[in-house]
Amino acid sequence: YETPIMTGAPASQQLTDELIETIRPVFLRRTKDELFSKELPPSHLKRSFIPMTQTQFAKYQEIVRSFDLNANPDPSQRRMVILAALQKLLQLCSHPRLLDGSSEMARTKDLLRESPKLSDTIEILKSIRKSGEKVLIFTTWHKMQRILRQVILEEFGVNAPIINGEIKSSRQAIVDQFNQTPGFHVMILSPKAAGIGLNITGANHVIHYSREWNPAIENQATGRAHRIGQKKIVSVYYPITVLPNAGLVARHQLASQGITVEQRLDMLLEDKRTLMRNVVVPNGLEIQPEAFVDLL
């Protein structure tokens, strides 16, 4: 069962149904949504597809052209080459300055102009501010966290606290102050640093600015706000960078037809989530770099 289900073979759904029916007499599975359907408010997912600038696109092409899978025959080295290229492309999609190291002392208007994704995120925040509600923004890159904090401070006059692996003070004290602050507020977090245990139900909006390679970690991050104690509907945003003039690209469209690594990652994460919902506890939830080779 496992191999065809995990690889999405043509008969995978039929095999999934057969597997669940086979183990049903001896296996009881309860999901979070089933257990707490009455206590938890609903959550709404919102994807936005944001075309990158022509400058970003030129750099994107440059990174792809520099990629050479055959440069080293050693499998482990090939894997590192793939991963390095993907990391650069994902950073570029978040903000070009993550690659050139020049974000310090940059003007906010330049930061916004250079990254449509950042600009789109600020528009989301403006809409949330009108309702006087709070937001959690998740991104892995520490430099991106600092860029977000600078832009949010200048645009809204809000000094957004950051929780990541560098924070030495009490995370709970930061969370308590955030939860107790009335009205609109923003907190920026690393998904893994947020981890288990933080109750940030003062926020009912979650923006996954950059994505994780494991849907369980991403779900755990969303769960900081969508948990027992939350009284409001939770909105979860996925801003996704696409190629210039790409528009909304269909799922599983090939690289030659214009799909970015962020779109592929979003598709793979959704596929993994489907497995999590349908199968017992699938092995290999972590997305592998080899799944992106055709985009390079």
Side-chain angles (χ1 to χ4, degrees):
Y1 289 102
E2 183 175 8
T3 298
I5 289 175
M6 291 294 289
T7 56
S12 59
Q13 187 57 54
Q14 178 183 340
L15 287 168
T16 298
D17 295 340
E18 184 180 324
L19 172 61
I20 293 173
E21 194 59 37
T22 301
I23 65 175
R24 191 184 302 280
V26 292
F27 185 77
L28 177 63
R29 182 173 188 256
R30 298 275 178 83
T31 66
K32 173 184 173 181
D33 290 340
E34 290 170 341
L35 283 173
F36 304 114
S37 59
K38 294 182 179 179
E39 292 89 346
L40 275 177
S43 62
H44 295 162
L45 306 183
K46 302 180 181 182
R47 283 177 173 79
S48 54
F49 296 86
I50 309 143
M52 63 177 68
T53 67
Q54 289 296 333
T55 302
Q56 277 179 297
F57 183 48
K59 183 64 176 177
Y60 193 99
Q61 290 179 305
E62 179 184 327
I63 294 171
V64 172
R65 283 196 297 266
S66 67
F67 173 77
D68 185 3
L69 187 60
N70 300 314
N72 195 317
D74 180 75
S76 61
Q77 291 298 317
R78 285 159 59 94
R79 184 181 178 86
M80 292 301 294
V81 169
I82 297 169
L83 188 57
L86 292 175
Q87 293 285 59
K88 287 182 179 180
L89 292 173
L90 289 169
Q91 286 180 314
L92 177 65
C93 287
S94 283
H95 202 290
R97 293 192 184 237
L98 299 188
L99 292 179
D100 62 22
S102 61
S103 61
E104 304 302 330
M105 305 302 293
R107 295 183 302 177
T108 292
K109 68 176 184 179
D110 291 333
L111 293 172
L112 289 168
R113 174 177 51 80
E114 294 162 0
S115 173
K117 184 175 186 176
L118 176 60
S119 182
D120 182 81
T121 299
I122 294 302
E123 291 304 312
I124 293 172
L125 293 179
K126 287 179 180 178
S127 175
I128 296 170
R129 181 178 60 173
K130 291 179 181 178
S131 60
E133 296 176 331
K134 295 183 175 63
V135 194
L136 305 181
I137 304 179
F138 288 97
T139 178
T140 300
W141 322 112
H142 286 195
K143 187 180 291 184
M144 192 67 235
Q145 294 168 5
R146 294 192 292 271
I147 289 174
L148 282 162
R149 180 168 60 182
Q150 173 186 328
V151 175
I152 289 167
L153 179 60
E154 293 204 24
E155 289 288 316
F156 304 103
V158 171
N159 189 13
I162 294 176
I163 292 182
N164 58 32
E166 297 176 348
I167 299 300
K168 304 302 180 185
S169 56
S170 169
R171 297 186 308 163
Q172 192 57 55
I174 297 172
V175 169
D176 290 344
Q177 183 176 4
F178 176 80
N179 282 333
Q180 293 163 13
T181 301
F184 174 72
H185 206 354
V186 184
M187 180 180 286
I188 303 164
L189 310 96
S190 295
K192 292 180 181 177
I196 298 174
L198 289 184
N199 186 337
I200 322 180
T201 51
N204 63 306
H205 297 269
V206 177
I207 301 174
H208 289 283
Y209 189 89
S210 63
R211 310 295 293 278
E212 284 298 303
W213 292 60
N214 186 324
I217 293 174
E218 203 166 79
N219 289 354
Q220 199 175 83
T222 301
R224 299 310 95 217
H226 192 222
R227 58 191 293 118
I228 298 300
Q230 179 58 260
K231 304 301 182 184
K232 299 179 179 179
I233 294 173
V234 174
S235 297
V236 184
Y237 305 83
Y238 298 106
I240 300 166
T241 302
V242 301
L243 298 178
N245 306 315
L248 183 59
V249 179
R251 278 177 58 83
H252 304 301
Q253 202 165 352
L254 299 177
S256 60
Q257 296 169 294
I259 188 172
T260 64
V261 293
E262 281 205 339
Q263 287 171 286
R264 171 62 59 82
L265 183 54
D266 177 65
M267 294 171 185
L268 293 171
L269 284 166
E270 189 56 35
D271 289 343
K272 295 285 186 179
R273 283 196 176 91
T274 300
L275 283 173
M276 290 172 66
R277 287 191 295 266
N278 292 341
V279 189
V280 183
V281 180
N283 292 322
L285 282 178
E286 189 83 18
I287 293 169
Q288 302 305 312
E290 289 78 8
F292 297 83
V293 169
D294 62 308
L295 300 187
L296 298 172

